[in-house]
Amino acid sequence: MTLLRPQTTAVPAPFPSVVSQPYWDGLRAHELRFQRCAACNGITHTPSPVCAHCLAEDLTWERSAGTGTIYSWTMVWRPQTPAFEVPYCPVIVDVDEGWQVLSNLIGIDTDDVAVGLRVAVEFHPIADGVVLPYFRPVEKG
Amino acid sequence: MTHHPFHDVCVVGIHNTEQARVLEGHDSRSITRAAGYGAVADAGLTMRDIDGIVGQTGSDLLYEARIGPIWRSMSGLGIPPLLDAAGAITNGLATTVLIAAGSAGVYTDRASTAPWTRPAHEFVAPFGMFTAAEFALIARRHMEMYGTTPEALATVAATIRNNGHVHPDAVYRGRGPFTVQDVLDSRMVADPFHLLDCSMTAEGGCALVLTTAERARDLPHDPVFVLGGNTDHFGPAYQHPPAWDLGGNVRPDLVVGTVGRRAAEMSFAMCGLGPDDVDVCEFYDPFSFEIIRQFEAFGFCGPGEGGDFVMDGNIGPGERFPVTTDGGLMSFSHGGAVVQLLQRVIRGVEQLRHECATMQVLDAEVAMCTGGGAGALFNDVLLLGRSKP
C-alpha cells in the first residue's frame, strides 16, 4: 500500500522537436493539446507533421478536456535511473476525444490501479519551466 | 514444392564467444572480431573467403583483415541483415557473407537500467519508461482482454531459465532449477514482470556465415537452409505509446499486439510450411509474456489461447514445441543492444545440425527463430531447415 505521487527530483526533461514544441508549450500553459486534421477531423498523437489517418498536412492544435480512462498500466519498482522514486506507474490513457497518451498515474494507492479507471490530467512542473502531464483518478460522473 | 531463391542459401558457420556479465579485457570491437573469426573457422573457411560483411564493426573487421573491396550491408543486427545477406547471395552481389555482432564495456552505470533499454525520447523518458515498462503495457492488455495469468508468464520464464540452467555456456548456468513459484516470488520490476520474467544483461559476441547451397556441400558441417523469413515493423521503438491496438491504415486487422503475424505468414508461404511443421521454437524472449504473444501471433494457437498453450505442456523439453532451448535472453546471454538478436538464429542452426549438448530436439528438421517484440513495435521471423522444402 503506497500512495503514488509525482516525481520530486530532476527526472529527464523532454527535448521537443519543431513539430512537438506546441505540445510542450501547451503544458506550460496548463493545457493538454492534441492535433486534429482539418481535412478528415481525425486526431494524431504523438505530434506529427501529417495526419495519421488521411496524411493531410493540415493539422491544427486543440485543447483536450484532459479526461480519460486507463487503457494499460504497469507499476515500476526498479527505476529507469536513480532520478526516479519508486514506485511509479506508467500508464496509457484513452483520452476522451479519441487519442492515447503515455503518462504516469498519481493520487491512488498502488493496489487500486486498474484498467478502466476514470482519470483527469494534472500538471506538474519539473526543471527549467517544463511541465509534465500526469493523470489522477476522478469520481465516475 | 514451393520454391524461393532463399532456399539456395545456407548457414555454414556459427560461433558464440564466451558470454559473461562482464568480459574483462574486451570492448565491442574486440569481441565482435573474436566472434567473426570463430564463425569463419567453424565454416572451414578463412577471412579471404568472405566477400560480404554485416555488423556495427563489420567495417573494422574487413579493414583489419584487408579483405576489401567487398559487399557490406549497413543494416542492424539479427534477422533483417541475415535476409539482406541471403538476398545479396541470391542476387550475386556476394558469395559468402559474415554477420558478426558483439558488445562489451557498454553497460557501466549499474544504478540505472542498461542504456539500450532507455532511449532518451521526449514522450517516454520523462515518465521513467524503459523496456520492461514498455513490454509490461503490452502484457497488461493481454491479461485484461483474455485473463492471462502471472502463472502463465512464470511458466515461460521457468521453462527458458531451466534450459539455460543446464547449458554449459550460459551466463546463468547452474542458477536453477526454477519453479513457477520461484518466478512469482522474485521481486517485482515492472508489474506484471517479476525479476525472473525479464531478460538479463551481459556481454558477448556471436557471428554466422552464409553461403550458397552449392558451396555449402564442400564445407564441414551439415548445411542449414534458409526456408523463409520476413520482418514486421510498426515504427521506432520506445518513442510512442506501446498500445496493443495500435494499427495501420492498410491492414487494420494487424495491430502491434499481433506484430509478427504477417512476417510469419509470409515466411511459411515461402516454403509451403505451417506452424505444425516447426520442430523447435527459438523465440526471442526479452520478457516472459512475449513468448505467449508470439505463439498466438504466428498461429500456433488462437488469440487469447497463449496462456493455456504454454501451461498445457507444449513448450518444455521433449514437448511438441520446445522454446528457446539454450536459455535465451533470460539465461544464456543478452549481450547488449543487438547480439542476442542473432543468437536465436545461432541456436536454431545448432538444433538443426543436431549438435546441441543440452536440450537437443530429437530429429529436428525445421526451426523458427525470431527477434524483437510488441513492446518495441517489431517482430522478425526466420525459418531454417535441414533440407530444402
Side-chain angles (χ1 to χ4, degrees):
Chain A
M1 296 277 284
T2 308
L3 184 68
L4 292 165
R5 302 172 187 280
Q7 295 295 326
T8 56
T9 53
V11 301
F15 294 93
S17 67
V18 170
V19 173
S20 69
Q21 188 65 52
Y23 177 81
W24 295 106
D25 289 346
L27 291 168
R28 198 174 300 130
H30 287 200
E31 288 185 8
L32 182 65
R33 294 176 183 170
F34 61 92
Q35 292 174 294
R36 190 186 291 279
C37 177
C40 78
N41 213 38
I43 296 173
T44 297
H45 183 80
T46 52
S48 171
V50 299
C51 172
H53 309 279
C54 74
L55 310 189
E57 297 180 19
D58 199 3
L59 299 181
T60 56
W61 288 94
E62 285 187 21
R63 178 178 182 171
S64 167
T67 53
T69 306
I70 297 299
Y71 167 88
S72 192
W73 63 275
T74 177
M75 194 71 64
V76 173
W77 296 90
R78 193 293 190 225
Q80 174 208 65
T81 70
F84 286 84
E85 296 166 20
V86 296
Y88 59 91
C89 182
V91 290
I92 298 173
V93 177
D94 274 327
V95 187
D96 288 342
E97 291 91 7
W99 55 292
Q100 290 185 322
V101 65
L102 189 128
S103 179
N104 287 168
L105 184 64
I106 59 169
I108 185 173
D109 192 274
T110 51
D111 291 346
D112 296 332
V113 178
V115 170
L117 269 179
R118 289 290 297 164
V119 292
V121 71
E122 192 171 290
F123 303 98
H124 283 270
I126 57 170
D128 300 327
V130 174
V131 175
L132 294 182
Y134 288 119
F135 281 81
R136 179 186 289 273
V138 293
E139 295 299 317
K140 282 190 175 165
Chain B
M1 299 294 261
T2 308
H3 180 71
H4 189 278
F6 283 171
H7 304 166
D8 293 321
V9 177
C10 292
V11 181
V12 294
I14 52 174
H15 187 66
N16 278 311
T17 67
E18 180 190 357
Q19 314 286 315
R21 291 279 286 168
V22 176
L23 283 172
E24 296 294 344
H26 272 292
D27 61 15
S28 295
R29 180 170 159 178
S30 70
I31 200 67
T32 305
R33 181 174 59 245
Y37 280 47
V40 169
D42 180 68
L45 300 170
T46 73
M47 285 298 283
R48 289 166 185 267
D49 297 306
I50 300 299
D51 65 355
I53 200 159
V54 184
Q56 321 102 296
T57 59
S59 199
D60 295 318
L61 259 65
L62 85 86
Y63 177 81
E64 288 165 6
R66 300 294 196 278
I67 57 173
I70 63 172
W71 176 82
R72 183 191 173 209
S73 167
M74 301 290 284
S75 63
L77 254 296
I79 289 167
L82 190 146
L83 298 176
D84 282 358
I89 291 167
T90 60
N91 290 328
L93 305 183
T95 302
T96 305
V97 178
L98 170 63
I99 306 176
S103 179
V106 176
Y107 182 20
T108 52
D109 171 19
R110 298 283 171 154
S112 300
T113 63
W116 55 83
T117 69
R118 44 183 174 90
H121 188 265
E122 59 182 312
F123 290 105
V124 292
F127 301 105
M129 296 298 288
F130 61 110
T131 48
E134 301 268 1
F135 280 81
L137 290 172
I138 291 285
R140 174 77 52 202
R141 279 306 296 182
H142 196 269
M143 297 169 84
E144 185 71 19
M145 287 189 293
Y146 300 116
T148 310
T149 61
E151 288 75 16
L153 276 60
T155 299
V156 170
T159 302
I160 293 176
R161 286 180 179 278
N162 287 339
N163 291 344
H165 164 68
V166 297
H167 191 294
D169 300 325
V171 173
Y172 283 170
R173 65 187 175 279
R175 286 289 190 98
F178 296 95
T179 65
V180 169
Q181 195 59 46
D182 290 333
V183 178
L184 296 173
D185 289 344
S186 63
R187 65 183 169 86
M188 195 64 88
V189 171
D191 197 331
F193 296 142
H194 304 80
L195 179 68
L196 295 180
D197 285 301
C198 303
S199 54
M200 66 153 95
T201 57
E203 300 183 343
C206 71
L208 58 77
V209 177
L210 297 176
T211 193
T212 61
E214 182 183 4
R215 182 144 201 222
R217 281 201 294 266
D218 301 325
L219 299 177
H221 291 285
D222 291 349
V224 171
F225 291 82
V226 178
L227 303 185
N230 211 329
T231 76
D232 273 5
H233 286 245
F234 275 91
Y238 316 135
Q239 297 186 10
H240 311 293
W244 178 281
D245 298 291
L246 175 68
N249 293 326
V250 182
R251 285 285 304 272
D253 57 317
L254 297 178
V255 296
V256 163
T258 59
V259 65
R261 174 165 296 166
R262 188 198 73 114
E265 288 174 353
M266 294 175 79
S267 301
F268 283 128
M270 286 178 182
C271 51
L273 300 178
D276 279 347
D277 298 301
V278 175
D279 298 310
V280 56
C281 298
E282 293 298 341
F283 291 176
Y284 197 71
D285 58 324
F287 300 95
S288 55
F289 172 73
E290 270 301 305
I291 298 296
I292 293 171
R293 195 197 64 75
Q294 290 177 91
F295 276 118
E296 293 180 15
F298 304 152
F300 288 79
C301 61
E305 296 174 0
D308 288 341
F309 186 85
V310 300
M311 290 200 294
D312 286 349
N314 284 304
I315 67 168
E319 296 175 347
R320 179 62 188 85
F321 297 109
V323 73
T324 313
T325 60
D326 58 2
L329 283 61
M330 293 192 186
S331 182
F332 180 73
S333 190
H334 186 315
V338 293
V339 180
Q340 72 287 347
L341 284 163
L342 200 56
Q343 282 171 327
R344 294 300 86 233
V345 179
I346 289 174
R347 184 58 173 181
V349 172
E350 290 175 348
Q351 283 284 358
L352 297 181
R353 285 181 176 181
H354 297 170
E355 63 181 24
C356 296
T358 59
M359 300 295 164
Q360 174 65 51
V361 174
L362 196 63
D363 299 326
E365 290 288 328
V366 175
M368 187 171 190
C369 309
T370 67
L377 308 192
F378 79 98
N379 204 186
D380 303 328
V381 172
L382 182 73
L383 291 170
L384 298 172
R386 267 184 75 83
S387 55
K388 289 192 186 193

